[in-house]
């Protein structure tokens, strides 16, 4: 569906085409409902905050619902500074990064025979209040088999074991969705129109969720209950 179809179906579902029962919404307002619903939809699929309580990879449908937003990045670490933890490097996340799915690190070190090894190892996120304990734990601290990471504003910090260099950070993530816009119909037109970049199989769910939000906005409580039940069965 293109953005004009989104707006047309929104109006049909909202009973706007041949009725004056409800207040009119401007194209800019419909786009706002759609964009809020798109973000809610993705967050719901990611973390199981839905009627079925399923996360993004618990069923194939959950993953397929956001498949077009799944992206890879191979990132060169920033040089270490005095602000980093010992053996730490900050990683600047892609500008379109939103949710992490899986992370790995390519490291380099000399083994006991002096040979340079360059494996790709898993990355394990840790909380800041766990760091002091983990970094001193011989069974959990980073070594030649794993890297740990901490969160920082706009970046993450990857921490390796002693004598181990971090050469690349590999992340598979869900990128930010496009902000849809039917700008050519605005009071002050904006070009170009921006299409929804989620899979077409979920477009009608997005519209139904946006309609539900609009009904709540105008306090149509009986319709809200009906639309909520229908949307839950689709999820």
């Amino acid at each position: 569906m293109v953005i004009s179809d989104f707006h047309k179906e929104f109006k049909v579902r909202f009973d706007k085409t041949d009725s004056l029962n409800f207040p009119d919404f401007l194209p800019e307002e419909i786009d706002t409902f759609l964009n809020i619903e798109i973000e809610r939809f993705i967050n719901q699929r990611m973390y199981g905050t839905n009627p079925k309580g399923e996360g993004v990879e618990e069923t194939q449908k959950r993953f397929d619902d956001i498949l077009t937003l799944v992206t890879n990045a191979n990132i060169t670490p920033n040089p270490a500074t005095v602000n980093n933890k010992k053996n730490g490097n900050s990683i600047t996340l892609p500008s379109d990064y939103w949710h992490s799915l899986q992370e790995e690190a390519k490291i380099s070190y000399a083994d006991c025979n002096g040979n340079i090894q360059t494996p790709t190892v898993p990355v394990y996120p840790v909380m800041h209040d766990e760091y002091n304990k983990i970094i001193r734990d011989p069974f959990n601290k980073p070594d030649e088999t794993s890297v740990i990471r901490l969160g920082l504003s706009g970046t993450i910090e990857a921490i390796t074991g002693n004598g181990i260099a971090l050469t690349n950070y590999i992340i598979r993530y869900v990128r930010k969705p496009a902000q849809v816009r039917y700008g050519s119909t605005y009071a002050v037109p904006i070009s170009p129109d921006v299409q929804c970049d989620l899979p077409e199989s979920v477009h009608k769910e997005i519209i139904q969720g946006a309609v539900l939000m609009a009904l709540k906005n105008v306090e149509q409580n009986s319709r809200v209950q009906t639309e909520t039940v229908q949307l839950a069965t689709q999820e």
Side-chain angles (χ1 to χ4, degrees):
M1 297 175 66
V2 296
I3 191 61
S4 59
D5 295 326
F6 273 79
H7 279 240
K8 184 185 299 181
E9 185 156 339
F10 178 96
K11 291 181 177 180
V12 169
R13 285 179 176 268
F14 195 70
D15 193 23
K16 287 296 292 107
T17 304
D18 299 310
S19 173
L20 298 177
N21 292 334
F22 301 118
D24 197 6
F25 286 115
L26 298 173
E28 295 93 326
E29 294 171 323
I30 296 175
D31 282 344
T32 297
F33 287 128
L34 290 170
N35 284 313
I36 293 173
E37 174 58 20
I38 286 170
E39 292 193 7
R40 186 206 65 83
F41 178 89
I42 295 169
N43 287 330
Q44 187 187 62
R45 265 45 180 183
M46 285 295 302
Y47 300 114
T49 54
N50 52 72
K52 296 184 179 180
E54 296 171 343
V56 65
E57 292 188 301
E58 290 188 55
T59 65
Q60 187 63 44
K61 181 185 184 303
R62 292 281 161 204
F63 187 71
D64 289 345
D65 284 349
I66 61 167
L67 185 60
T68 54
L69 302 182
V70 176
T71 307
N72 290 314
N74 193 321
I75 306 168
T76 301
N78 298 318
T81 72
V82 295
N83 293 320
N84 289 120
K85 301 288 189 184
K86 182 183 178 182
N87 301 324
N89 293 86
S90 62
I91 309 295
T92 301
L93 294 169
S95 59
D96 61 355
Y97 169 87
W98 210 15
H99 300 289
S100 176
L101 291 174
Q102 186 258 343
E103 300 168 43
E104 297 176 305
K106 191 173 183 63
I107 58 175
S108 176
Y109 66 93
D111 64 18
C112 57
N113 296 316
N115 299 316
I116 300 300
Q117 304 295 325
T118 58
T120 299
V121 299
V123 174
Y124 297 106
V126 301
M127 305 295 289
H128 282 83
D129 60 358
E130 299 173 328
Y131 170 79
N132 287 335
K133 180 179 179 180
I134 289 174
I135 206 68
R136 291 172 172 80
D137 185 339
F139 300 104
N140 290 301
K141 68 180 181 180
D143 56 19
E144 67 275 4
T145 65
S146 66
V147 169
I148 65 172
R149 62 104 159 148
L150 297 167
L152 287 172
S153 178
T155 66
I156 54 179
E157 184 175 17
I159 301 166
T160 62
N162 292 329
I164 299 175
L166 178 68
T167 58
N168 290 87
Y169 199 85
I170 305 151
I171 184 169
R172 179 165 291 184
Y173 64 98
V174 175
R175 62 179 173 81
K176 296 175 183 176
Q179 291 283 298
V180 299
R181 184 179 69 207
Y182 196 13
S184 58
T185 62
Y186 286 7
V188 179
I190 301 176
S191 294
D193 293 338
V194 179
Q195 310 300 327
C196 179
D197 53 3
L198 283 168
E200 185 153 356
S201 59
V202 305
H203 286 184
K204 289 184 180 296
E205 289 183 61
I206 296 296
I207 295 167
Q208 189 166 359
V211 168
L212 177 59
M213 194 183 315
L215 289 169
K216 290 178 180 178
N217 185 271
V218 297
E219 299 183 349
Q220 291 295 319
N221 295 325
S222 60
R223 286 278 308 278
V224 166
Q225 184 175 4
T226 300
E227 294 288 339
T228 300
V229 171
Q230 291 178 355
L231 189 60
T233 61
Q234 290 184 0
E235 295 174 349

